[in-house]
Amino acid sequence: MRIPTCIPVVPKNAKKYVNAVIDKNWISSLCLDEDVNFIKKLEDGMAGYIGTKYCISTTSGSTALDLSLATLGIEPGDEIIIPSFTMIATAHAVVHNGGRPVFVDADEETWCMDISLVEQVVTQRTRAIIPVHIYGHPEKMDEINAIASKYNLCVIEDAAEAIGTQYKGKMAGSLGDMACFSFYANKTITSGEGGLLATNNEDFAKRANMLKDQAFGVPRFIHEDIGFNYRMNNLTAAYAFASFEEVEDAVDKRRKNARLYREGLSDIEGITLPPEKDYAVNSFWMYGILIDEKRFGLSKTEVKDILKQGHGIDTRDFFYPMHKQPSLIKKGYVKDGVLMPVSEMLWERGLYLPSSTNLKEAEISCVVEAIKKINQ
Ligand SMILES: Cc1ncc(COP(=O)(O)O)c(C=O)c1O
């Protein structure tokens, strides 16, 4: 038996909707037939689900992040605060927009950015904070928003991993000035590739819609801004909408998988399970665990190898921290000698276990038993 880290669910209506788009021949981002305008259905559906006024589809989570900073209109050298413990797309969006990423270490309890360190790195040049709801656990958004309003900063949630995540009863993606989602194949809603920007701010929505479409203006071929082609096509939207229709079931299943893992793994010395604070609904995009070599007896790399070679179980390393990335160090974005012990610890100890939505209970038992056996 092989258990992959994540395989996408093919939604029930995917073929029906994609075929409808083909049959009506509205395959690009332009669709004048309401019945098969899946871009609009997806954007309206997501806006209703998250609870924002506007949703703007894009080609990926990365381009949604690029678009959010372009919408904000950052200037060369503007500083954007991001967690060191994130996926590189968060940092790339800042760099692509001419900004300077400023990294903050992670919080040992939530694995998100450590809020107590944020204010120390605010300067005259700071324009925005991008909290990342890492692996599906929400950032402490009240604290982030309080800092942002004190220093007049914009808050862009990186909610790529957080469809269905809640903070104090509110959906991730509705908690800042803008938010970005990903529909990559391992995400809880997916169309293979795809993304979306959410906001309640009408000016941001208008500007994002304009910029993602090559900044076309009126008259049409005269451009006042530098734009992109980040338009999602209707075929992708048809698939994404079919996936979106199953979002509640998918989030429930990922949470159920997490519960089964927790029941199986909670008593093992040297393993830390993923957080779920009392203010949070963790959507458990991925089920990550930490392995403390001293207490468990083996390093995470040894555990990964045994799971793979001995049991056919795939796992994935946690993210390598941004302040350690050669690409960002070469560009001069990392201060010499900077230490971010929690992000480094998460990289050294963290791995995620198979986390597919449709993981079977027998597969979870197999992973749990394999880990218990290694620990004996
Ligand atoms: C935190 C985070 N931000 C951004 C992205 C980028 O999304 P995409 O792969 O759709 O470009 C990802 C993707 O996994 C992510 O995990």
Side-chain angles (χ1 to χ4, degrees):
M1 178 158 60
R2 178 179 166 244
I3 311 180
T5 46
C6 193
I7 41 173
V9 177
V10 178
K12 197 162 57 66
N13 287 325
K15 283 187 187 160
K16 182 173 149 199
Y17 294 165
V18 171
N19 282 337
V21 168
I22 296 168
D23 289 345
K24 296 280 184 86
N25 203 10
W26 285 111
I27 59 170
S28 78
S29 60
L30 177 71
C31 179
L32 300 180
D33 181 335
E34 207 181 301
D35 289 346
V36 293
N37 189 344
F38 287 100
I39 297 166
K40 183 160 171 27
K41 288 179 203 282
L42 174 69
E43 292 177 344
D44 290 352
M46 277 291 285
Y49 178 68
I50 308 163
T52 56
K53 284 197 194 136
Y54 311 98
C55 278
I56 296 129
S57 54
T58 60
T59 48
S60 68
S62 304
T63 55
L65 282 165
D66 281 359
L67 185 63
S68 67
L69 287 169
T71 297
L72 185 60
I74 66 170
E75 304 287 334
D78 279 352
E79 293 174 6
I80 311 295
I81 298 173
I82 69 169
S84 181
F85 186 62
T86 183
M87 192 261 193
I88 194 96
T90 324
H92 280 165
V94 178
V95 174
H96 290 155
N97 277 278
R100 194 176 173 82
V102 174
F103 310 112
V104 170
D105 200 3
D107 176 336
E108 203 168 345
E109 285 190 16
T110 65
W111 305 350
C112 295
M113 185 158 57
D114 184 341
I115 303 305
S116 70
L117 304 174
V118 173
E119 236 174 314
Q120 301 169 13
V121 297
V122 174
T123 71
Q124 298 288 350
R125 296 304 309 263
T126 311
R127 290 288 309 284
I129 311 177
I130 309 185
V132 180
H133 307 304
I134 206 81
Y135 300 132
H137 192 282
E139 180 54 276
K140 292 175 183 158
M141 291 304 295
D142 283 351
E143 287 87 334
I144 292 272
N145 285 329
I147 297 170
S149 54
K150 183 167 168 192
Y151 296 98
N152 196 23
L153 310 174
C154 182
V155 174
I156 300 169
E157 297 172 75
D158 184 338
E161 305 175 358
I163 289 165
T165 293
Q166 293 179 37
Y167 170 78
K168 297 188 177 172
K170 290 194 186 135
M171 284 289 180
S174 67
L175 303 161
D177 298 295
M178 286 183 260
C180 300
F181 289 92
S182 163
F183 302 142
Y184 180 65
N186 61 15
K187 296 303 189 298
T188 308
I189 299 174
T190 183
S191 43
E193 301 283 356
L196 182 132
L197 188 157
T199 183
N200 279 315
N201 181 315
E202 189 180 355
D203 293 337
F204 284 160
K206 279 190 184 146
R207 189 167 155 78
N209 264 315
M210 179 269 291
L211 290 175
K212 85 164 198 186
D213 186 19
Q214 301 289 18
F216 278 112
V218 182
R220 183 162 171 78
F221 290 110
I222 299 178
H223 301 260
E224 300 287 343
D225 283 280
I226 305 293
F228 317 90
N229 176 358
Y230 286 164
R231 301 181 303 255
M232 180 183 276
N233 69 68
N234 203 25
L235 288 164
T236 301
Y239 198 106
F241 182 68
S243 182
F244 166 72
E245 286 182 323
E246 298 173 7
V247 62
E248 280 170 16
D249 183 53
V251 173
D252 285 352
K253 283 180 171 161
R254 291 208 184 201
R255 284 183 53 74
K256 181 178 165 225
N257 293 344
R259 180 173 54 74
L260 293 173
Y261 273 133
R262 187 170 59 242
E263 284 167 11
L265 297 173
S266 54
D267 291 331
I268 302 180
E269 171 75 9
I271 290 192
T272 304
L273 301 182
E276 185 168 51
K277 303 299 273 182
D278 54 6
Y279 54 78
V281 172
N282 189 338
S283 59
F284 293 105
W285 167 58
M286 288 291 156
Y287 196 83
I289 61 170
L290 306 179
I291 298 196
D292 176 351
E293 185 175 353
K294 284 203 186 88
R295 286 164 55 226
F296 186 78
L298 292 171
S299 71
K300 83 148 184 200
T301 309
E302 290 167 318
V303 173
K304 279 170 66 70
D305 285 348
I306 298 171
L307 288 175
K308 176 79 183 163
Q309 307 311 333
H311 305 270
I313 297 166
D314 287 341
T315 58
R316 233 346 135 70
D317 282 320
F318 269 21
F319 298 125
Y320 192 53
M322 295 305 108
H323 72 280
K324 305 277 283 180
Q325 294 290 348
S327 58
L328 299 172
I329 294 170
K330 270 185 255 166
K331 289 279 182 194
Y333 295 125
V334 183
K335 289 195 186 121
D336 277 349
V338 69
L339 289 176
M340 302 216 174
V342 180
S343 302
E344 290 171 32
M345 176 279 287
L346 290 170
W347 154 253
E348 275 153 24
R349 296 186 185 174
L351 61 90
Y352 57 76
L353 300 173
S355 299
S356 306
T357 300
N358 279 344
L359 205 60
K360 296 186 186 74
E361 283 197 40
E363 291 174 311
I364 295 177
S365 302
C366 175
V367 176
V368 168
E369 290 314 313
I371 293 174
K372 283 184 171 161
K373 203 168 154 204
I374 298 173
N375 186 237
Q376 273 165 7

